[in-house]
Amino acid sequence: MIRFLLKWSFPAIFLTVSFHQPFNKTIESYYHYGFDITTPSASIPLVNVKTPEIVIRHIPSIQNITQEALDNTINKSLPVNFQIGRKAEVVTAIIHGAINLNVTDIGQVSYILATAQHESANFTTLIEVGDCDYFANRAGGDGYIYRMGNLSKEDACKYIGRGLVQLTGRNNYKKISNIYNVDAVQNPNIVVSPDVSVTLLIEGMMSGWFTGKSLPQYVSGDQRDYVSARRVVNGKDHAHHIAEIAKNYEPLVKKARSEEHT
C-alpha cells in the first residue's frame, strides 16, 4: 500500500516542453497496442492522450534549469495524460512515461503496469476509498494512526493512499516533498495529476523509494521474479496475483518497445 497522487495545478517541478523527437506515430495510439477497449467505453477519443508533452525528472523548478540540467534530461516527448477509468489511456500513459524516463526493460515495464492496475483497482481510482474512521482504525488491518510517520488521527485521514501506486503515510509524502521540492505534506493532493502520478510510480519503483527495495533487484533482463518484486511496494500482499498480471502485459510491452525503434 505504497500510494501516490497529484492535483491539476502544481508548482513547476516538471517542465512541459514543446519539441518532439521523431517517433513512429502509431505508438501514440492505444488501438495500435491491441487493447480490449471494453471498459468503460468502446469509444475513447485519441486526442485525450495528447498533453502534457513530457515530464522531465528531477528539475525542481523552472528557475533552476540550466543547460547542463537540460542535457541530462529525457529527450523524448510522448504524452502521459489520461482520464482515470479509461484503462487503455492509463496503460498507454504508463508505457509512454517509461519510454520518456528511459525504462526500457520489458519485464520492468510489465511489472510497473501490473502494480498500477492492482493499486488503482483496475485503473478506476487514484484515491483510496473510505471515511476518516476507516483510515484511522481499519485501513491496512489496524488503521493508519501512528504508522508510516503519522502522528494523529488527522494524519491518518490526511495521508491516505493516492496515485497509481497509492502513496500512503506522512513519511512517504515528506519523502516526495524532498525529492521534488514541493510541499506534499501540506498539500497531499499534489500527487494526483496523471503526469506526476506516472512519474512517481515509475521512479519510485525503480529507485526503491517506497520500501528500500527497487524493481531492478528482482526484475532485470532475463531475471523476472515477479512474485518477490511485490516487496518493492507492499511486502507479499497479492504477490502471486500481481505476478500473473505482469506476465499478461509482456506481449503488449514487447510490441510497444519494438514499435519505438521502428
Side-chain angles (χ1 to χ4, degrees):
M1 297 182 181
I2 312 298
R3 310 176 171 206
F4 269 141
L5 256 113
L6 215 68
K7 194 73 178 172
W8 291 108
S9 73
F10 50 93
I13 337 162
F14 302 98
L15 175 65
T16 301
V17 293
S18 59
F19 60 85
H20 269 273
Q21 295 294 317
F23 261 89
N24 183 333
K25 293 301 180 183
T26 55
I27 197 173
E28 297 189 11
S29 167
Y30 43 73
Y31 290 106
H32 181 72
Y33 293 146
F35 286 114
D36 175 14
I37 315 223
T38 57
T39 53
S41 167
S43 176
I44 302 175
L46 293 178
V47 293
N48 287 352
V49 216
K50 289 304 296 177
T51 55
E53 302 277 354
I54 185 174
V55 178
I56 293 184
R57 67 197 296 188
H58 300 318
I59 297 183
S61 74
I62 196 166
Q63 290 82 6
N64 295 333
I65 293 173
T66 63
Q67 187 58 50
E68 180 182 3
L70 288 173
D71 290 343
N72 291 329
T73 56
I74 304 94
N75 61 1
K76 301 184 179 74
S77 52
L78 291 172
V80 292
N81 198 26
F82 63 83
Q83 181 175 325
I84 197 64
R86 293 179 169 177
K87 180 177 180 179
E89 288 186 5
V90 185
V91 171
T92 300
I94 294 170
I95 292 175
H96 287 181
I99 293 170
N100 290 343
L101 294 169
N102 294 323
V103 178
T104 60
D105 184 277
I106 291 172
Q108 290 170 357
V109 178
S110 297
Y111 193 77
I112 288 168
L113 284 164
T115 297
Q117 178 173 322
H118 173 75
E119 295 291 331
S120 65
N122 199 28
F123 306 117
T124 61
T125 183
L126 293 177
I127 301 178
E128 188 174 10
V129 178
D131 58 19
C132 191
D133 179 68
Y134 169 77
F135 296 127
N137 302 307
R138 300 190 301 281
D142 53 1
Y144 294 155
I145 299 180
Y146 309 125
R147 297 176 56 208
M148 301 172 288
N150 290 336
L151 305 175
S152 63
K153 180 177 181 179
E154 180 182 5
D155 280 359
C157 300
K158 183 175 183 179
Y159 302 116
I160 62 174
R162 293 179 175 87
L164 286 169
V165 73
Q166 292 290 280
L167 185 71
T168 309
R170 174 185 279 270
N171 282 348
N172 281 314
Y173 283 87
K174 185 176 181 179
K175 183 183 294 185
I176 295 312
S177 297
N178 293 336
I179 291 170
Y180 288 104
N181 194 27
V182 297
D183 195 350
V185 175
Q186 291 301 315
N187 180 22
N189 279 330
I190 204 169
V191 288
V192 187
S193 75
D195 53 344
V196 178
S197 187
V198 168
T199 301
L200 297 181
L201 166 73
I202 296 170
E203 290 196 322
M205 292 183 68
M206 292 297 292
S207 302
W209 291 348
F210 308 135
T211 64
K213 303 290 186 181
S214 67
L215 186 56
Q217 290 179 249
Y218 305 100
V219 181
S220 182
D222 293 334
Q223 178 192 11
R224 296 183 184 176
D225 187 356
Y226 289 149
V227 174
S228 297
R230 182 59 176 158
R231 296 172 185 167
V232 174
V233 173
N234 193 6
K236 299 179 180 179
D237 175 66
H238 291 86
H240 290 276
H241 171 67
I242 298 168
E244 290 304 312
I245 297 174
K247 291 176 185 177
N248 290 335
Y249 272 119
E250 288 179 3
L252 179 75
V253 175
K254 186 175 181 179
K255 182 176 179 61
R257 295 295 297 124
S258 64
E259 287 297 331
E260 181 203 354
H261 293 293
T262 58

